[in-house]
Amino acid sequence: MNVPFCVKYRMRGFSTGDKMTKKRRTVITLLSLIGLILAIELCVVYYNANFAHDAKPSICAINDMMDCDGVARTSYSQFLGIPLSLWGVCLYLFFLFMTFTDKLKNIKYLGFLKIFKNPMSYIFCISLLSFIISMILGGISVFKINAICIFCFMTYFIDLLIALSSKTKGISVTEEIKISFNDFLEAVKIKKYAYLLIVLILASISVLTYTTVSNVFSPQIAKQQELKRSFKLDGIKADKNTLGNENASLQIDEYMDYNCGGCFIAQVYLHRIVSEFENIRIIQHNVPLDASCNSNIKDGGGHKNSCLKARYALAAAKQNKYWHLGQALFNSDVENEKDIIEAARLLDIDVKKLKDDANSEAVKKELADSIKNADSKGVTGTPTLFIGVKQMVGVGTYPEFVKAIIAQGGIKKPENEK
């Protein structure tokens, strides 16, 4: 005799009869609350890292490898335009909601919760899926970003514990999934719930389409799109650390550091600017935030080998390869002298001369003078730009940058007027 699946599990006592014990409820509630607190803290970290440019480093930004802030600034910190931390808040609220469904359904106007017949199965399936996704994110963090978020890894562990705690003894993983799926099918057979589901799906698609297209919650994606233009020197006059015509009527001075992410964005902007405007001259000044050459920096500064990179850039300028090597120096894979030399070889730079110049007293003095020049201008961070007489600290969007240049007398080339 064939017994319908849902009936079979009612007979075994795993449907409406699968009541949460006090211990299970307590464990899942505590884990969900801890996860919720961590997710909220990660939302704060995400906001500070991407929107509050003057915010202090978070408590979990410990070093180059353990850096929650650095991870939060990458495109991997969001999905469909929504920060992963916000997805996490929703996840743990769902777990808490499901944990108390059997009590909440007795409240007036919450009677519809009776359709959630096996909340433990739903918690198990969702937490298991979340843990699998977490492992993928963990791999991306370690092998792609080369930095990890400690709080994120804590939530991964919590997801696993919730899955283990919500697993019903005697039921396989496959059976748990079947129970959840069959409950879903039974619920959507009821017209009012089917209509409600359709409305929720359409609303979700609308919201996620907006967040994905607008990047309103993910500025790192917007900046990444602006960086699609590679900075080529085709048609641009370059002389040592300058770009553009030396007789231009508007000069832009940039004070930068090769280990500064914002400086990389600024460099891309400047390459676009000099190709789109006819009266611009750009001068780039090296100001490494590294205590090994900058006495203003205490406790190392966190920009390891910035001084080394700056010296090699200035040395490359003697072969008129300043901007070429500079592009490579922004690459996170170029970390030490060996990496710089390998990059120089690919750029057809005389490596022996480059190394000799980089370690010469003349270049060291040139770098020291550049730092002194920055001090005299009151520069305390990178990137700092002086567009004519206007000072800008940090970088916003490219249109904002263009607007500031036009306000200071920048004139677009005729073909770029639109």
Side-chain angles (χ1 to χ4, degrees), residues 52-212:
H53 301 297
D54 57 345
K56 295 181 179 180
S58 66
I59 192 173
C60 57
I62 300 171
N63 53 40
D64 290 342
M65 185 61 186
M66 298 181 182
D67 184 5
C68 295
D69 297 356
V71 174
R73 292 189 185 98
T74 69
S75 59
Y76 298 104
S77 63
Q78 60 82 45
F79 177 66
L80 296 178
I82 302 291
L84 292 177
S85 53
L86 194 54
W87 286 107
V89 169
C90 296
L91 175 71
Y92 295 116
L93 286 175
F94 170 79
F95 290 156
L96 288 170
F97 190 72
M98 285 294 104
T99 303
F100 293 94
T101 296
D102 60 329
K103 296 183 178 296
L104 293 172
K105 68 183 179 183
N106 297 319
I107 300 175
K108 190 177 181 181
Y109 302 120
L110 294 181
F112 68 92
L113 294 178
K114 64 185 178 181
I115 64 173
F116 298 114
K117 300 175 182 177
N118 297 283
M120 277 300 197
S121 291
Y122 315 150
I123 293 174
F124 171 75
C125 292
I126 299 299
S127 59
L128 181 62
L129 176 61
S130 178
F131 176 70
I132 293 171
I133 293 173
S134 296
M135 290 300 94
I136 296 173
L137 292 174
I140 291 173
S141 192
V142 173
F143 300 108
K144 185 74 175 178
I145 302 175
N146 296 316
I148 64 173
C149 170
I150 297 175
F151 287 170
C152 297
F153 273 76
M154 289 173 68
T155 64
Y156 303 164
F157 183 62
I158 287 172
D159 293 345
L160 176 60
L161 290 179
I162 290 176
L164 294 174
S165 301
S166 58
K167 176 74 172 63
T168 303
K169 187 177 180 180
I171 299 182
S172 68
V173 173
T174 303
E175 289 170 336
E176 292 275 24
I177 295 172
K178 286 182 179 179
I179 290 172
S180 299
F181 184 69
N182 277 286
D183 282 359
F184 172 77
L185 292 180
E186 284 190 27
V188 295
K189 286 178 182 178
I190 303 172
K191 285 187 177 181
K192 61 180 180 179
Y193 296 136
Y195 293 148
L196 178 60
L197 177 64
I198 292 172
V199 170
L200 289 174
I201 290 174
L202 291 176
S204 298
I205 291 174
S206 299
V207 171
L208 294 176
T209 298
Y210 170 72
T211 56
T212 302

Side-chain angles (χ1 to χ4, degrees), residues 264-280:
F264 172 67
I265 296 171
Q267 177 141 317
V268 176
Y269 287 179
L270 291 173
H271 276 74
R272 286 187 62 181
I273 288 296
V274 79
S275 66
E276 294 177 0
F277 284 75
E278 61 183 27
N279 66 326
I280 299 291

Side-chain angles (χ1 to χ4, degrees), residues 171-335:
I171 299 182
S172 68
V173 173
T174 303
E175 289 170 336
E176 292 275 24
I177 295 172
K178 286 182 179 179
I179 290 172
S180 299
F181 184 69
N182 277 286
D183 282 359
F184 172 77
L185 292 180
E186 284 190 27
V188 295
K189 286 178 182 178
I190 303 172
K191 285 187 177 181
K192 61 180 180 179
Y193 296 136
Y195 293 148
L196 178 60
L197 177 64
I198 292 172
V199 170
L200 289 174
I201 290 174
L202 291 176
S204 298
I205 291 174
S206 299
V207 171
L208 294 176
T209 298
Y210 170 72
T211 56
T212 302
V213 173
S214 68
N215 295 311
V216 63
F217 296 126
S218 48
Q220 67 279 76
I221 301 298
K223 287 181 179 179
Q224 205 174 63
Q225 291 173 348
E226 290 178 344
L227 298 178
K228 284 184 178 179
R229 291 193 183 199
S230 61
F231 36 121
K232 299 178 180 178
L233 296 177
D234 298 342
I236 301 174
K237 184 177 180 180
D239 182 25
K240 296 184 178 179
N241 64 327
T242 69
L243 289 177
N245 192 330
E246 62 181 11
N247 296 317
S249 59
L250 179 61
Q251 179 171 303
I252 300 176
D253 289 273
E254 182 205 7
Y255 294 84
M256 50 74 68
D257 178 314
Y258 285 110
N259 283 348
C260 161
C263 296
F264 172 67
I265 296 171
Q267 177 141 317
V268 176
Y269 287 179
L270 291 173
H271 276 74
R272 286 187 62 181
I273 288 296
V274 79
S275 66
E276 294 177 0
F277 284 75
E278 61 183 27
N279 66 326
I280 299 291
R281 182 176 184 240
I282 295 165
I283 303 177
Q284 192 173 77
H285 306 271
N286 284 272
V287 189
L289 304 182
D290 179 355
S292 65
C293 69
N294 191 337
S295 60
N296 296 317
I297 307 301
K298 308 300 180 184
D299 301 323
H303 285 206
K304 184 180 179 182
N305 286 335
S306 287
C307 294
L308 178 71
K309 290 183 177 182
R311 286 193 285 108
Y312 268 92
L314 294 174
K318 297 184 181 302
Q319 301 182 46
N320 207 25
K321 292 285 188 176
Y322 175 87
W323 296 98
H324 299 80
L325 184 61
Q327 179 174 355
L329 293 175
F330 277 116
N331 193 319
S332 60
D333 293 332
V334 179
E335 299 179 347

